[in-house]
Structure formats: C-alpha cells, structure tokens
Amino acid sequence: MTMEECYQELGGNYAEVCKLLSNPSLIERFTARFLDDQSYCDLCKEIENGNRQAAFRSAHTLKGVCANLSFTRLLETVSRLMEVLRPEADTIPDDAVELLENVRQDYQHTVDTIRKYQRER
C-alpha cells in the first residue's frame, strides 16, 4: 500500500496534504504521529465526564489535526460533533453522544488504515 492508497482508504485528501506538507517523508511521519495524538482519547473522556467545555476543546484540537493531515472523513465527522458542543451549556447535549459514535467509527477506521499502511510498506 502506498501513502496515496492509505489516504484513499481512510477517506483523506492526499493531493491536499501534499500541498501542505510538500515532502512525502513529512506526510508519512506526521501520519504515523497521529496514532500518538491524545485529543481523541481526551474527547471521549471529557464527554463521559460531562465536561462540555473540555470536550469542545478536545474536539477542536482533533479537528485541527485532521485538517492539517487532510483526513477529510474524520474531519467532517468531528466538525459536526464540535459544533454541537460549541454552544455555552452546562451539560453535554444528547445528540453529542450519538455523534461521538460516528467519530469513534471514523477514528477507528483511520487508525486501522494507518496501521495497515505501516505493516504493508
């Protein structure tokens, strides 16, 4: 599997990431570093704990990472969740839990695809 095929499988935009990170080794390095990023884990923890503001910040961070890496599918999913968490409120909105499940699925698919790429290269 090539890095371009990896991006196709995970629902990313390889042409866009090539514009942002013009060196293929940088793309590979930062894609691998995504596996160590804690913003997804923080997001899940904060939603579980009912901390809307911290959940919003974690979703915003994850969104930024996905944007920088052009992980389009996950970016769109986490963006929808972030917008639900945006309004000032004391609690996590009910629909955030459902949206988090969508983020979980896309996040897991992204991670699995990156690991598959690492095994096959």
Side-chain angles (χ1 to χ4, degrees):
M1 171 185 289
T2 66
M3 181 56 74
E4 186 171 4
E5 292 168 333
C6 176
Y7 263 76
Q8 287 172 351
E9 191 169 321
L10 64 78
N13 186 331
Y14 188 72
E16 187 65 29
V17 78
C18 286
K19 291 177 192 173
L20 295 170
L21 302 170
S22 58
N23 185 327
S25 64
L26 282 177
I27 297 169
E28 187 171 330
R29 184 171 7 144
F30 285 112
T31 298
R33 281 184 156 174
F34 179 78
L35 300 175
D36 298 325
D37 182 77
Q38 291 299 304
S39 55
Y40 169 75
C41 294
D42 293 344
L43 171 62
C44 293
K45 180 184 75 175
E46 297 303 345
I47 286 181
E48 184 179 312
N49 291 339
N51 189 340
R52 189 206 51 80
Q53 288 180 334
F56 173 81
R57 283 191 304 273
S58 296
H60 190 272
T61 300
L62 181 57
K63 178 185 170 190
V65 171
C66 291
N68 288 334
L69 292 172
S70 298
F71 289 171
T72 310
R73 180 186 303 161
L74 183 54
L75 171 65
E76 291 169 356
T77 308
V78 78
S79 293
R80 285 191 294 275
L81 175 58
M82 190 187 85
E83 290 308 315
V84 167
L85 294 169
R86 181 183 297 276
E88 295 294 323
D90 293 332
T91 60
I92 300 288
D94 291 337
D95 49 348
V97 176
E98 182 179 322
L99 289 170
L100 179 61
E101 182 54 35
N102 296 335
V103 172
R104 274 191 182 114
Q105 291 172 9
D106 287 345
Y107 178 83
Q108 192 59 54
H109 177 74
T110 300
V111 167
D112 290 346
T113 303
I114 293 168
R115 288 185 178 139
K116 179 180 175 185
Y117 167 78
Q118 290 176 328
R119 285 190 309 271
E120 294 181 5
R121 65 181 180 116

